[in-house]
């Protein structure tokens, strides 16, 4: 699968301490296992000159107070609170000043963030999505990207998850409905 680095971004979803470190409140071993694979995708993209975007799931402690329906803390417990160690990107990631970091407050990295503005300003059309959790934030971000006319491509061997079948669902659903799927080995950047 070939990508033009000038119009492609790798979007690394939520590879944070809260999800990828054994001391995180929502730690999933497969998310920690995905760190090396995500780093490999980022390094290849960076070498080719493609953009790199990291998302962080960050919640103000009072975010869900008074909500009628939507309350992530009710579903998952308090996690990745604003300013906390859990909310920081994992130390194993090579995050650079030239990378764009998006703080989001929901599963979807486009919802009330600057992600779309950043992508449009940099004339990016294709998104290589990796990170965690495959069937939650990665899938919702990929679906939102497709609805905004970006080309979302899940990198299936660089995804974190809780259960293997959750990852399979996300990959199958994305491939069927709004995106494409690739592996690290299949990614080629045009020179």
């Amino acid at each position: 699968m070939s990508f033009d680095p000038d119009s492609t971004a790798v979007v690394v979803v939520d590879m944070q301490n809260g999800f990828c470190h054994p001391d995180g409140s929502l730690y999933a071993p497969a998310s920690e296992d995905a760190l090396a694979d995500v780093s490999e995708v980022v390094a290849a993209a960076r070498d080719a000159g493609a953009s790199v975007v990291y998302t962080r799931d960050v919640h103000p402690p009072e975010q869900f107070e008074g909500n009628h329906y939507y309350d992530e803390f009710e579903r998952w417990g308090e996690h990745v609170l604003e300013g906390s160690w859990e909310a920081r990107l994992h130390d194993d990631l090579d995050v650079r000043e030239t990378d764009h970091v998006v703080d989001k407050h929901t599963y979807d990295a486009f919802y009330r963030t600057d992600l779309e503005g950043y992508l449009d300003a940099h004339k990016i059309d294709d998104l290589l999505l990796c990170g965690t959790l495959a069937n939650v934030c990665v899938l919702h971000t990929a679906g939102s990207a497709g609805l905004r006319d970006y080309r979302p491509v899940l990198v299936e061997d660089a995804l974190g998850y809780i259960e293997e079948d959750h990852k399979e669902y996300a990959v199958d659903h994305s491939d069927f409905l709004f995106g494409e799927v690739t592996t690290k080995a299949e990614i080629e950047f045009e020179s």
Side-chain angles (χ1 to χ4, degrees):
M1 193 172 280
S2 184
F3 296 90
D4 178 350
D6 292 335
S7 60
T8 301
V10 171
V11 178
V12 178
V13 179
D14 299 357
M15 296 298 282
Q16 298 161 256
N17 292 326
F19 309 120
C20 301
H21 192 283
D23 294 333
S25 63
L26 292 178
Y27 171 67
S31 296
E32 182 180 24
D33 293 346
L35 283 163
D37 298 314
V38 166
S39 294
E40 191 177 318
V41 173
V42 167
R46 200 174 268 140
D47 288 348
S51 297
V52 177
V53 175
Y54 290 92
T55 74
R56 289 189 305 201
D57 192 37
V58 178
H59 300 294
E62 70 284 352
Q63 179 178 348
F64 304 108
E65 289 177 10
N67 280 19
H68 168 68
Y69 175 74
Y70 177 70
D71 186 340
E72 276 187 40
F73 290 170
E74 199 171 282
R75 169 70 178 94
W76 301 99
E78 273 194 4
H79 60 284
V80 292
L81 293 177
E82 196 170 52
S84 71
W85 168 84
E86 280 203 348
R88 292 198 327 241
L89 292 168
H90 196 281
D91 286 342
D92 286 358
L93 300 171
D94 180 21
V95 184
R96 299 184 182 179
E97 285 187 23
T98 53
D99 301 332
H100 187 66
V101 179
V102 174
D103 284 342
K104 63 186 188 61
H105 303 294
T106 69
Y107 305 139
D108 175 3
F110 286 92
Y111 183 74
R112 295 185 179 176
T113 72
D114 69 349
L115 180 56
E116 188 168 11
Y118 172 84
L119 297 174
D120 290 349
H122 290 83
K123 297 181 171 59
I124 294 169
D125 297 315
D126 298 336
L127 306 181
L128 287 164
L129 289 132
C130 54
T132 201
L133 290 168
N135 65 318
V136 184
C137 294
V138 175
L139 185 62
H140 280 79
T141 297
S144 194
L147 294 174
R148 287 171 166 78
D149 200 34
Y150 299 102
R151 176 187 174 209
V153 182
L154 265 61
V155 185
E156 68 178 306
D157 51 355
L159 296 173
Y161 51 87
I162 296 172
E163 302 287 341
E164 180 77 32
D165 61 334
H166 295 173
K167 176 184 148 185
E168 291 171 13
Y169 166 79
V171 168
D172 291 346
H173 189 69
S174 179
D175 195 33
F176 167 72
L177 191 57
F178 51 73
E180 299 175 46
V181 176
T182 192
T183 64
K184 297 178 305 181
E186 294 171 332
I187 298 169
E188 292 181 12
F189 289 101
E190 300 166 7
S191 28

